[in-house]
């Protein structure tokens, strides 16, 4: 029996309940206040919803953007003392619409701005969204890499690809550090996402990019509806669980964490 949805957990509750550290707390993003006020001409832009996912670019001095930098700092300490440094980090949630991809996009931006060569991989082969956020092409991408139809180097999109088409804010393109940000999106939706992620080719790909980039962030589907996160979790250095307060019952959050740990994932927080 699930707890009532209104049974919210504070950050202290989460740490005690899940026995995991809270790496960051991201405030609610007010699109109207943070983006439209600064760029009034975007108010009727059909892409405004996606701009809000890149708040650290459009409004870098806001408390929301600062919270992503705090998350970046806390993650940098999460692997201290371990034999192997954490270079490949996967992000998932227990259910849909918990802000996972938004968190990941902004984290990748602030990490790149710190001077780290950062690769963001769209491993949500069922409902990809990174290409919408960054205004890039969905294909070629991860599906092509795993199937062997294209080398991963040819699927990487950088600052010259990001925002070339749909983004109408030149100021954003001049933000420092974006030349360190690279994206590989999912590619076309395959009929067998779980099997592709479980393949030796996927493991080989993760190994190769982890040697090429300073940090690799991976966008995974939610854990409870599909098995993809449980398949890929053990193949990366660490997994981060995103939780939106009030979105899901606490039991669902606990189940997601337990499910990932049972398959051998290193739960970072």
């Amino acid at each position: 029996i699930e707890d009532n949805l209104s049974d919210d957990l504070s950050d202290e509750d989460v740490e005690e309940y899940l026995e995991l550290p809270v790496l960051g707390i991201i405030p609610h993003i007010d699109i109207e206040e943070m983006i439209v006020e600064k760029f009034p001409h975007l108010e009727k832009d059909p892409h405004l919803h996606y701009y809000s996912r890149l708040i650290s670019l459009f409004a870098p001095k806001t408390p929301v953007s600062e919270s992503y930098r705090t998350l970046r700092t806390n993650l940098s300490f999460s692997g201290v003392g371990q034999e192997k440094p954490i270079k490949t980090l996967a992000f998932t949630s227990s259910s849909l619409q918990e802000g996972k991809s938004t968190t990941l996009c902004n984290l990748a931006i602030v990490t790149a701005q710190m001077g780290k060569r950062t690769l963001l991989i769209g491993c949500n082969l069922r409902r990809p969204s990174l290409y919408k956020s960054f205004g890039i092409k969905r294909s070629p991408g991860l599906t092509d890499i795993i199937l062997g139809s294209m080398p991963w180097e040819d699927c990487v999109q950088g600052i010259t690809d990001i925002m070339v088409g749909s983004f109408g804010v030149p100021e954003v393109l001049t933000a420092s550090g974006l030349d360190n940000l690279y994206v590989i999106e999912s590619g076309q939706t395959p009929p067998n996402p779980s099997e592709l992620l479980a393949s030796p080719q996927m493991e080989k790909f993760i190994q190769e990019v982890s040697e090429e980039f300073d940090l690799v962030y991976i966008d995974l589907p939610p854990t409870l509806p599909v098995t993809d996160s449980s398949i890929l979790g053990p193949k990366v250095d660490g997994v981060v669980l995103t939780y939106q307060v009030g979105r899901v019952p606490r039991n669902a959050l606990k189940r997601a964490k337990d499910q990932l740990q049972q398959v051998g994932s290193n739960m970072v927080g």
Side-chain angles (χ1 to χ4, degrees), residues 2-259:
E2 301 290 7
D3 290 349
N4 189 285
L5 276 172
S6 63
D7 189 11
D8 295 346
L9 291 165
S10 68
D11 53 326
E12 293 89 357
D13 292 335
V14 170
E15 289 191 326
E16 187 177 338
Y17 186 64
L18 292 187
E19 299 179 332
L20 287 175
V22 172
L23 297 165
I25 301 172
I26 313 299
H28 172 69
I29 297 173
D30 190 323
I31 301 173
E32 187 75 28
E33 180 185 339
M34 295 183 186
I35 296 182
V36 175
E37 280 188 11
K38 190 173 181 181
F39 304 106
H41 66 283
L42 294 179
E43 186 169 7
K44 296 182 180 177
D45 192 306
H47 300 282
L48 179 60
H49 172 67
Y50 298 114
Y51 294 158
S52 70
R53 296 183 179 182
L54 305 183
I55 195 74
S56 56
L57 269 185
F58 284 89
K61 296 180 180 178
T62 60
V64 176
S65 298
E66 187 57 40
S67 67
Y68 289 115
R69 289 188 280 272
T70 300
L71 172 60
R72 176 194 68 192
T73 301
N74 290 339
L75 279 170
S76 70
F77 286 108
S78 60
V80 172
Q82 293 189 14
E83 208 171 293
K84 181 186 175 188
I86 292 179
K87 290 192 71 177
T88 54
L89 261 177
F91 285 69
T92 184
S93 56
S94 54
S95 67
L96 297 167
Q97 304 291 315
E98 291 199 71
K100 166 183 53 67
S101 298
T102 300
T103 297
L104 196 48
C105 289
N106 285 281
L107 176 63
I109 290 168
V110 298
T111 302
Q113 289 176 332
M114 196 173 63
K116 301 283 189 183
R117 293 188 77 244
T118 306
L119 177 64
L120 183 55
I121 304 175
C123 281
N124 192 340
L125 303 183
R126 303 165 194 270
R127 295 182 62 182
S129 64
L130 297 183
Y131 73 101
K132 295 177 182 176
S133 299
F134 287 103
I136 59 176
K137 291 182 285 189
R138 178 174 169 177
S139 295
L142 184 62
T143 304
D144 304 277
I145 296 167
I146 300 175
L147 293 176
S149 58
M150 195 168 289
W152 68 261
E153 293 89 347
D154 292 348
C155 298
V156 177
Q157 302 185 66
I159 185 58
T160 53
D161 306 286
I162 295 170
M163 310 171 195
V164 164
S166 58
F167 282 60
V169 186
E171 299 95 321
V172 173
L173 285 169
T174 62
S176 63
L178 286 185
D179 52 342
N180 293 316
L181 179 62
Y182 302 88
V183 184
I184 295 178
E185 185 45 308
S186 65
Q188 293 303 313
T189 304
N192 54 343
S194 299
E195 287 76 6
L196 287 186
L197 295 179
S199 67
Q201 291 89 337
M202 182 67 193
E203 203 158 346
K204 179 172 179 283
F205 163 63
I206 292 175
Q207 179 60 38
E208 288 179 1
V209 294
S210 70
E211 293 169 1
E212 184 70 24
F213 294 89
D214 295 322
L215 280 162
V216 178
Y217 294 139
I218 299 172
D219 185 29
L220 286 174
T223 297
L224 296 181
V226 292
T227 61
D228 300 10
S229 299
S230 298
I231 289 170
L232 206 57
K235 299 179 188 292
V236 296
D237 298 332
V239 178
V240 176
L241 193 58
T242 308
Y243 166 63
Q244 181 176 336
V245 174
R247 184 84 192 181
V248 296
R250 61 170 66 193
N251 282 1
L253 181 64
K254 182 78 160 51
R255 273 208 312 276
K257 177 250 187 180
D258 290 345
Q259 186 171 312

